[in-house]
């Protein structure tokens, strides 16, 4: 299965978060809603952009194909992948399945196809060709994970905030590339995400990250959200906590 190397630094965001976070013992992986809000505001204004963001201007003016690059190779991508992904994110924010487009909440989509098609057409392709082929697949879908690092229990009260529970329970979302509305899957045990929906195989990932200088702007609940899209994403190699 195609794997994308994860390499973007968000150390600055995590540093800001560490300075603002509470003195709780809820661990290094999960953060309160308030802590996530602080980190997100920092990312929007001062964080790094995704490396090699997709140049999607042609898609926004009605063209059907644009040129992208990954691992040093250029290839054509149908604009529906971009326009439908943007639609997915707008619907996800509207349904409040996610609040923020950054690593602590929602920042990637697993691109997947029905497993029987994967076995027949894609399984034996070279790794660097799978992404390019998947993007043209009519049966393509996307699985989004939200609330990736949201604490289930308030560290101060020891209770689950109903608003937090509602957020976590919507954390598995399917987006279709044929115009259908996004679908929220039933919550898994303890709110854990699903790596693949039943009957599907994921073969690539598409990343998105909010930044004030991003290439795309959408509007949700009276606010604008500006972000980039990319096939490349990097995580820090340091643990600031």
């Amino acid at each position: 299965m195609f794997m994308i190397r994860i390499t973007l630094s968000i150390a600055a965001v995590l540093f800001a978060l560490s300075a603002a976070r509470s003195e709780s013992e809820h661990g290094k992986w999960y953060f309160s809603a308030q802590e996530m809000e602080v980190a997100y505001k920092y990312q929007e204004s001062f964080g790094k952009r995704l490396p090699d963001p997709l140049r999607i201007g042609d898609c926004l003016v009605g063209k059907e194909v644009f040129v992208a690059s990954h691992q040093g190779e250029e290839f054509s991508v149908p604009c529906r992948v971009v326009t439908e992904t943007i639609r997915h994110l707008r619907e996800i924010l509207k349904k409040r399945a996610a609040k923020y487009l950054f690593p602590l909440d929602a920042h990637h989509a697993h691109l997947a196809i029905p497993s029987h098609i994967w076995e027949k057409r894609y399984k034996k392709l070279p790794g660097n060709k799978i992404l390019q082929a998947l993007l043209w697949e009519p049966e393509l879908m996307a699985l989004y994970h939200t609330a990736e690092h949201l604490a289930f229990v308030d560290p101060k009260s020891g209770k689950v905030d109903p608003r937090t529970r509602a957020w976590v329970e919507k954390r598995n979302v399917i987006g279709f590339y044929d115009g259908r509305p996004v679908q929220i899957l039933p919550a898994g045990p303890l709110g854990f995400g699903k790596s693949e929906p039943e009957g599907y195989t994921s073969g690539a990932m598409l990343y998105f990250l909010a930044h004030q200088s991003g290439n795309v702007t959408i509007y949700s609940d009276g606010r604008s959200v500006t972000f980039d899209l990319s096939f490349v994403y990097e995580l820090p190699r340091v643990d600031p906590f």
Side-chain angles (χ1 to χ4, degrees):
M1 184 182 297
F2 180 76
M3 296 295 293
I4 294 181
R5 184 170 175 266
I6 298 181
T7 58
L8 165 69
S9 173
I10 57 166
V13 178
L14 295 177
F15 176 80
L17 181 58
S18 68
R21 71 180 316 191
S22 66
E23 296 179 357
S24 66
E25 297 296 330
H26 63 295
K28 301 176 182 178
W29 186 258
Y30 296 111
F31 305 89
S32 71
Q34 292 77 15
E35 292 165 347
M36 289 175 64
E37 182 179 7
V38 170
Y40 178 71
K41 288 181 177 178
Y42 188 95
Q43 167 57 38
E44 275 192 311
S45 299
F46 307 109
K48 289 187 177 182
R49 294 178 64 182
L50 283 176
D52 198 21
L54 298 179
R55 309 291 190 231
I56 60 174
D58 286 348
C59 299
L60 302 181
V61 295
K63 294 189 178 181
E64 296 184 356
V65 177
F66 74 103
V67 176
S69 64
H70 182 249
Q71 297 180 339
E73 184 174 358
E74 291 190 341
F75 51 93
S76 296
V77 179
C79 281
R80 74 179 179 99
V81 172
V82 166
T83 56
E84 289 291 86
T85 296
I86 293 171
R87 177 181 64 82
H88 297 164
L89 294 176
R90 184 184 296 112
E91 292 182 13
I92 287 170
L93 292 171
K94 183 177 181 179
K95 291 177 178 292
R96 301 193 176 180
K99 292 184 179 181
Y100 313 116
L101 304 184
F102 84 136
L104 298 188
D105 188 3
H107 80 304
H108 66 272
H110 298 265
L111 301 178
I113 58 174
S115 296
H116 70 277
I117 296 179
W118 172 268
E119 292 291 327
K120 183 177 180 180
R121 302 180 189 170
Y122 297 88
K123 185 177 181 179
K124 296 183 179 180
L125 287 178
N128 64 336
K129 298 297 183 183
I130 292 179
L131 171 64
Q132 300 175 32
L134 279 178
L135 296 173
W136 291 90
E137 173 55 55
E139 299 295 324
L140 183 69
M141 57 83 74
L143 174 65
Y144 298 87
H145 292 144
T146 73
E148 285 274 55
H149 297 273
L150 178 64
F152 304 141
V153 178
D154 185 282
K156 294 182 179 179
S157 67
K159 299 179 180 179
V160 177
D161 186 316
R163 293 168 296 180
T164 300
R165 180 186 294 276
W167 186 355
V168 170
E169 287 180 347
K170 297 177 182 179
R171 72 173 311 264
N172 298 299
V173 185
I174 289 179
F176 303 97
Y177 286 90
D178 57 6
R180 281 180 286 171
V182 298
Q183 176 184 343
I184 297 176
L185 300 178
L190 300 178
F192 292 134
K194 302 174 183 291
S195 60
E196 296 172 347
E198 184 176 353
Y200 281 80
T201 297
S202 59
M205 297 179 76
L206 175 62
Y207 295 94
F208 37 90
L209 181 65
H211 193 279
Q212 62 181 355
S213 300
N215 290 333
V216 183
T217 299
I218 58 178
Y219 298 90
S220 174
D221 288 337
R223 67 186 178 102
S224 62
V225 181
T226 301
F227 60 96
D228 289 310
L229 294 163
S230 178
F231 297 121
V232 180
Y233 182 73
E234 304 174 351
L235 279 175
R237 296 177 180 270
V238 297
D239 181 356
F241 304 124

